[in-house]
């Protein structure tokens, strides 16, 4: 008899990081637990300071550092990144704490996914990263925040929304406390979205994502 795990196809992905790689670590843990059918083929970091490259080895994947200032333009930078993803056979590119603007080539349209730590379209776009996102939510006084998994287009945090998870914003929250609460939701939301994509259950029509 064949073990189900040996016949299940794993979606080849590339993971792009700019920082600690906590999201990549979470992906690795889900894969190891047999709960996520992706195969991390490549990790790209936007800076040599991205400590998250350590998690590439856990996935058995090579890692490259590609720095924006070594390229003349956003398109040239993006081209180098997607060329590496193509070469690695990545069918999906996952932005996991990636802070650089990308120009998505046609063959990767609706095949690049980002997770943003707020409920898009609130507290997103240029400048909304890290604790700035959570401080803005607290300062505005919203009672709910959360995270958004979305396809990536050529604007920050703008493409079609795949799924969102909400968390409460509690009186006296600091940005760090709220960030930790949101990150717990992220650790569920991104694997859930990736698994839906891996199972071929996600289609996109304009801005609308349909999950079958
Ligand atoms: C996560 O909060 C995610 O929402 C955002 O980047 C954070 C992870 O990056 N896109 P890092 O691992 O802390 O660098």
């Amino acid at each position: 008899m064949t073990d189900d795990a040996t016949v299940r196809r794993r979606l080849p992905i590339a993971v792009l990081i700019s920082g600690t790689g906590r999201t990549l670590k979470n992906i690795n843990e889900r894969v190891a637990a047999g709960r996520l059918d992706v195969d991390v083929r490549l990790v790209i970091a936007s800076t040599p300071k991205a400590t998250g490259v350590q998690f590439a080895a856990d996935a058995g994947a090579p890692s490259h550092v590609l720095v924006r200032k070594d390229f003349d333009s956003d398109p040239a930078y993006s081209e180098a990144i997607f060329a590496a993803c193509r070469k690695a056979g990545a069918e999906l590119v996952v932005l996991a704490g990636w802070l650089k603007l990308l120009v998505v080539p046609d063959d990767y349209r609706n095949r690049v996914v980002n997770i943003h730590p707020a409920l898009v379209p609130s507290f997103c776009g240029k400048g909304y990263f890290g604790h700035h996102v959570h401080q803005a939510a607290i300062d505005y006084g919203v009672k709910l925040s959360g995270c958004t998994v979305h396809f990536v287009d050529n604007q920050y945090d703008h493409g079609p929304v795949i799924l969102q998870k909400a968390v409460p914003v509690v009186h006296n929250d600091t940005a760090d406390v709220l960030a930790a609460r949101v990150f717990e939701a992220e650790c569920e939301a991104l694997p859930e979205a990736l698994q839906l994509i891996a199972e071929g259950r996600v289609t996109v029509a304009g801005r609308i994502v349909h999950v079958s």
Side-chain angles (χ1 to χ4, degrees), residues 73-181:
S73 62
D74 288 332
Y77 184 49
S78 303
E79 238 169 67
I81 287 165
F82 285 103
C85 294
R86 248 177 239 122
K87 199 171 162 207
E91 293 176 21
L92 187 79
V93 176
V94 179
L95 309 190
W98 174 260
L99 296 177
K100 298 290 175 195
L101 189 70
L102 287 177
V103 180
V104 179
D106 284 349
D107 62 328
Y108 274 100
R109 193 152 171 261
N110 293 331
R111 295 210 286 132
V112 184
V113 163
N114 181 44
I115 179 146
H116 181 71
L119 295 175
V120 168
S122 293
F123 314 118
C124 64
K126 194 168 167 56
Y128 284 98
F129 62 91
H131 92 282
H132 300 291
V133 177
H134 306 292
Q135 194 59 55
I138 290 166
D139 292 346
Y140 196 91
V142 291
K143 304 303 181 202
L144 285 176
S145 190
C147 61
T148 302
V149 185
H150 64 92
F151 287 112
V152 172
D153 60 13
N154 297 337
Q155 298 176 46
Y156 287 111
D157 308 323
H158 179 265
V161 172
I162 303 166
L163 65 83
Q164 295 182 298
K165 286 195 190 289
V167 302
V169 181
V170 180
H171 185 58
N172 284 340
D173 263 352
T174 62
D176 284 348
V177 168
L178 179 56
R181 193 177 303 124

Side-chain angles (χ1 to χ4, degrees), residues 54-73:
Q54 66 182 300
F55 302 120
D58 295 342
S63 60
H64 302 323
V65 179
L66 289 171
V67 180
R68 169 65 182 83
K69 69 174 169 44
D70 294 339
F71 296 83
D72 289 341
S73 62

Side-chain angles (χ1 to χ4, degrees), residues 19-23 96-97 114-117 183 186:
T20 68
R22 297 175 297 155
T23 303
N114 181 44
I115 179 146
H116 181 71
F183 191 70
E186 291 182 41

Side-chain angles (χ1 to χ4, degrees), residues 9 11 193-203 210-212:
R9 180 180 182 270
L11 179 72
L194 295 182
Q195 185 61 23
L196 289 169
I197 295 168
E199 290 174 8
R201 292 168 59 190
V202 173
T203 50
H210 178 69
V211 177
S212 62

